[in-house]
Amino acid sequence: MMLLFRSSSLSPRNNYDAKNDTSNQAENKENTQQKCATVCRFQKPLSTVYIKNKQRNAVPANTTRSNIWAINMWKEWAENRNLQPETASEPGFPIPLDIGNFQSYLEMEFWLKRFICEIKRKNGEHYPPATLQNIAAGIQRYLRTEKSMHENLFKTDDPTFAEFR
């Protein structure tokens, strides 16, 4: 197969060499500085606190409420469970009020199983399965965002929280 090229497209005068073109570099630099004085593509460096607040504000309000509800429920349950005499003989006693403060994932799983099985509505009725899953998801989001713990409570091929699932 034979390819045909127009001879003018291969001539040296049509090949632009940006690396060696210094004629407009100074002019371009001056124009960029003038543009940045009024409108610039990049803003000044942002603080870590500002970025953290931006990330938190990106989470929908209902998700934030759900996370807070799940964590508060954990704290209330842990406070109540720590007062029960039989709890003192179980591993990991006392139960941390902050779920992110366990010494190991085994202890966390041990108490998460009990938490999910023991919590009830204020009127004494059991929560439906979807609500229990929402509570566990709120706890997982809390562990990821506030404690930088990236274990997945729901990942079926990970043996870490297999008994909890």
Side-chain angles (χ1 to χ4, degrees):
M1 178 178 188
M2 182 178 204
L3 296 175
L4 298 175
F5 293 100
R6 292 172 55 196
S7 62
S8 63
S9 68
L10 296 176
S11 68
R13 66 175 182 244
N14 288 340
N15 292 336
Y16 176 72
D17 186 5
K19 192 181 349 178
N20 293 323
D21 181 11
T22 58
S23 60
N24 291 328
Q25 285 181 357
E27 185 180 317
N28 288 340
K29 186 175 182 181
E30 187 177 310
N31 286 342
T32 302
Q33 288 172 346
Q34 287 173 354
K35 287 179 187 176
C36 281
T38 56
V39 176
C40 191
R41 180 177 175 187
F42 305 106
Q43 64 185 38
K44 293 180 181 177
L46 302 173
S47 71
T48 302
V49 172
Y50 177 84
I51 291 171
K52 196 95 167 144
N53 285 336
K54 272 296 233 192
Q55 289 172 329
R56 281 199 178 119
N57 292 336
V59 176
N62 284 342
T63 302
T64 301
R65 276 193 293 277
S66 179
N67 296 351
I68 291 169
W69 177 62
I71 294 307
N72 286 339
M73 189 175 300
W74 169 269
K75 287 178 186 175
E76 289 176 34
W77 173 83
E79 286 173 347
N80 180 281
R81 192 63 150 79
N82 282 334
L83 297 175
Q84 306 300 317
E86 57 272 6
T87 304
S89 64
E90 295 183 294
F93 178 79
I95 305 166
L97 299 182
D98 184 340
I99 193 166
N101 289 345
F102 277 102
Q103 298 299 315
S104 71
Y105 288 131
L106 287 174
E107 282 183 11
M108 184 186 293
E109 181 183 39
F110 179 85
W111 290 112
L112 269 172
K113 289 185 296 188
R114 281 148 182 79
F115 168 69
I116 290 295
C117 290
E118 294 174 7
I119 59 174
K120 293 182 180 181
R121 295 176 187 231
K122 289 182 180 179
N123 65 6
E125 293 179 16
H126 290 281
Y127 284 109
T131 303
L132 295 174
Q133 186 171 1
N134 189 25
I135 292 168
I139 288 172
Q140 179 170 287
R141 285 189 296 267
Y142 169 78
L143 291 172
R144 285 183 174 176
T145 58
E146 302 300 321
K147 299 295 182 175
S148 298
M149 297 171 70
H150 296 283
E151 291 297 324
N152 189 340
L153 301 178
F154 305 106
K155 190 174 180 183
T156 56
D157 62 346
D158 183 358
T160 308
F161 290 99
E163 288 184 31
F164 170 71
R165 289 185 285 279

mmCIF file of all heavy atoms in Angstrom, residues 109 113 153 155-156 158-165:
data_model
loop_
_atom_site.group_PDB
_atom_site.id
_atom_site.type_symbol
_atom_site.label_atom_id
_atom_site.label_comp_id
_atom_site.label_asym_id
_atom_site.label_seq_id
_atom_site.Cartn_x
_atom_site.Cartn_y
_atom_site.Cartn_z
ATOM 1 N N GLU A 109 -15.702 -6.243 66.354
ATOM 2 C CA GLU A 109 -16.697 -7.148 65.787
ATOM 3 C C GLU A 109 -17.527 -7.804 66.895
ATOM 4 O O GLU A 109 -18.751 -7.912 66.784
ATOM 5 C CB GLU A 109 -16.032 -8.220 64.925
ATOM 6 C CG GLU A 109 -17.028 -9.173 64.304
ATOM 7 C CD GLU A 109 -16.383 -10.280 63.497
ATOM 8 O OE1 GLU A 109 -15.328 -10.796 63.930
ATOM 9 O OE2 GLU A 109 -16.945 -10.625 62.462
ATOM 10 N N LYS A 113 -21.649 -6.988 66.923
ATOM 11 C CA LYS A 113 -22.680 -8.033 66.818
ATOM 12 C C LYS A 113 -23.711 -7.873 67.928
ATOM 13 O O LYS A 113 -24.920 -7.946 67.682
ATOM 14 C CB LYS A 113 -22.053 -9.427 66.904
ATOM 15 C CG LYS A 113 -21.240 -9.822 65.706
ATOM 16 C CD LYS A 113 -20.754 -11.259 65.794
ATOM 17 C CE LYS A 113 -19.813 -11.478 66.946
ATOM 18 N NZ LYS A 113 -19.181 -12.804 66.958
ATOM 19 N N LEU A 153 -17.399 -2.951 56.671
ATOM 20 C CA LEU A 153 -18.223 -3.854 57.475
ATOM 21 C C LEU A 153 -19.058 -4.788 56.610
ATOM 22 O O LEU A 153 -19.478 -5.841 57.064
ATOM 23 C CB LEU A 153 -19.161 -3.046 58.379
ATOM 24 C CG LEU A 153 -18.530 -2.081 59.370
ATOM 25 C CD1 LEU A 153 -19.610 -1.330 60.140
ATOM 26 C CD2 LEU A 153 -17.605 -2.807 60.323
ATOM 27 N N LYS A 155 -18.227 -5.886 53.302
ATOM 28 C CA LYS A 155 -17.512 -6.559 52.211
ATOM 29 C C LYS A 155 -17.505 -8.070 52.448
ATOM 30 O O LYS A 155 -16.890 -8.562 53.393
ATOM 31 C CB LYS A 155 -16.084 -6.024 52.129
ATOM 32 C CG LYS A 155 -15.335 -6.451 50.906
ATOM 33 C CD LYS A 155 -13.989 -5.757 50.832
ATOM 34 C CE LYS A 155 -13.250 -6.190 49.596
ATOM 35 N NZ LYS A 155 -11.930 -5.580 49.550
ATOM 36 N N THR A 156 -18.163 -8.779 51.574
ATOM 37 C CA THR A 156 -18.378 -10.210 51.792
ATOM 38 C C THR A 156 -17.124 -11.059 51.609
ATOM 39 O O THR A 156 -17.033 -12.143 52.185
ATOM 40 C CB THR A 156 -19.482 -10.743 50.856
ATOM 41 O OG1 THR A 156 -19.117 -10.441 49.515
ATOM 42 C CG2 THR A 156 -20.817 -10.128 51.190
ATOM 43 N N ASP A 158 -14.115 -10.222 52.591
ATOM 44 C CA ASP A 158 -13.138 -9.873 53.618
ATOM 45 C C ASP A 158 -13.543 -10.572 54.917
ATOM 46 O O ASP A 158 -14.644 -10.362 55.424
ATOM 47 C CB ASP A 158 -13.116 -8.354 53.811
ATOM 48 C CG ASP A 158 -12.065 -7.902 54.810
ATOM 49 O OD1 ASP A 158 -11.369 -8.755 55.388
ATOM 50 O OD2 ASP A 158 -11.941 -6.679 55.017
ATOM 51 N N PRO A 159 -12.664 -11.394 55.474
ATOM 52 C CA PRO A 159 -13.038 -12.144 56.682
ATOM 53 C C PRO A 159 -13.068 -11.310 57.972
ATOM 54 O O PRO A 159 -13.516 -11.797 59.001
ATOM 55 C CB PRO A 159 -11.954 -13.221 56.756
ATOM 56 C CG PRO A 159 -10.775 -12.625 56.073
ATOM 57 C CD PRO A 159 -11.332 -11.744 54.986
ATOM 58 N N THR A 160 -12.634 -10.035 57.909
ATOM 59 C CA THR A 160 -12.507 -9.240 59.129
ATOM 60 C C THR A 160 -13.801 -9.134 59.911
ATOM 61 O O THR A 160 -13.824 -9.364 61.108
ATOM 62 C CB THR A 160 -11.982 -7.826 58.796
ATOM 63 O OG1 THR A 160 -10.797 -7.956 58.012
ATOM 64 C CG2 THR A 160 -11.646 -7.055 60.057
ATOM 65 N N PHE A 161 -14.905 -8.809 59.269
ATOM 66 C CA PHE A 161 -16.184 -8.656 59.975
ATOM 67 C C PHE A 161 -17.201 -9.694 59.487
ATOM 68 O O PHE A 161 -18.395 -9.426 59.453
ATOM 69 C CB PHE A 161 -16.723 -7.241 59.786
ATOM 70 C CG PHE A 161 -15.923 -6.207 60.515
ATOM 71 C CD1 PHE A 161 -14.966 -5.448 59.850
ATOM 72 C CD2 PHE A 161 -16.093 -5.997 61.877
ATOM 73 C CE1 PHE A 161 -14.218 -4.516 60.514
ATOM 74 C CE2 PHE A 161 -15.354 -5.057 62.548
ATOM 75 C CZ PHE A 161 -14.402 -4.302 61.866
ATOM 76 N N ALA A 162 -16.724 -10.892 59.151
ATOM 77 C CA ALA A 162 -17.585 -11.929 58.584
ATOM 78 C C ALA A 162 -18.700 -12.321 59.549
ATOM 79 O O ALA A 162 -19.851 -12.496 59.139
ATOM 80 C CB ALA A 162 -16.770 -13.139 58.204
ATOM 81 N N GLU A 163 -18.397 -12.459 60.830
ATOM 82 C CA GLU A 163 -19.422 -12.853 61.801
ATOM 83 C C GLU A 163 -20.441 -11.729 62.024
ATOM 84 O O GLU A 163 -21.597 -11.991 62.322
ATOM 85 C CB GLU A 163 -18.780 -13.255 63.119
ATOM 86 C CG GLU A 163 -18.065 -14.582 63.058
ATOM 87 C CD GLU A 163 -17.527 -15.010 64.409
ATOM 88 O OE1 GLU A 163 -18.146 -14.657 65.447
ATOM 89 O OE2 GLU A 163 -16.499 -15.700 64.441
ATOM 90 N N PHE A 164 -20.004 -10.510 61.895
ATOM 91 C CA PHE A 164 -20.905 -9.378 62.059
ATOM 92 C C PHE A 164 -21.959 -9.334 60.957
ATOM 93 O O PHE A 164 -23.122 -9.049 61.198
ATOM 94 C CB PHE A 164 -20.119 -8.061 62.070
ATOM 95 C CG PHE A 164 -20.979 -6.832 61.991
ATOM 96 C CD1 PHE A 164 -21.769 -6.456 63.073
ATOM 97 C CD2 PHE A 164 -21.020 -6.059 60.852
ATOM 98 C CE1 PHE A 164 -22.562 -5.332 63.009
ATOM 99 C CE2 PHE A 164 -21.814 -4.935 60.784
ATOM 100 C CZ PHE A 164 -22.593 -4.570 61.857
ATOM 101 N N ARG A 165 -21.539 -9.660 59.738
ATOM 102 C CA ARG A 165 -22.477 -9.622 58.607
ATOM 103 C C ARG A 165 -23.521 -10.686 58.796
ATOM 104 O O ARG A 165 -24.611 -10.648 58.465
ATOM 105 C CB ARG A 165 -21.749 -9.851 57.281
ATOM 106 C CG ARG A 165 -20.874 -8.670 56.896
ATOM 107 C CD ARG A 165 -20.273 -8.875 55.523
ATOM 108 N NE ARG A 165 -19.172 -9.834 55.500
ATOM 109 C CZ ARG A 165 -17.934 -9.544 55.852
ATOM 110 N NH1 ARG A 165 -17.620 -8.353 56.246
ATOM 111 N NH2 ARG A 165 -16.987 -10.447 55.795
#
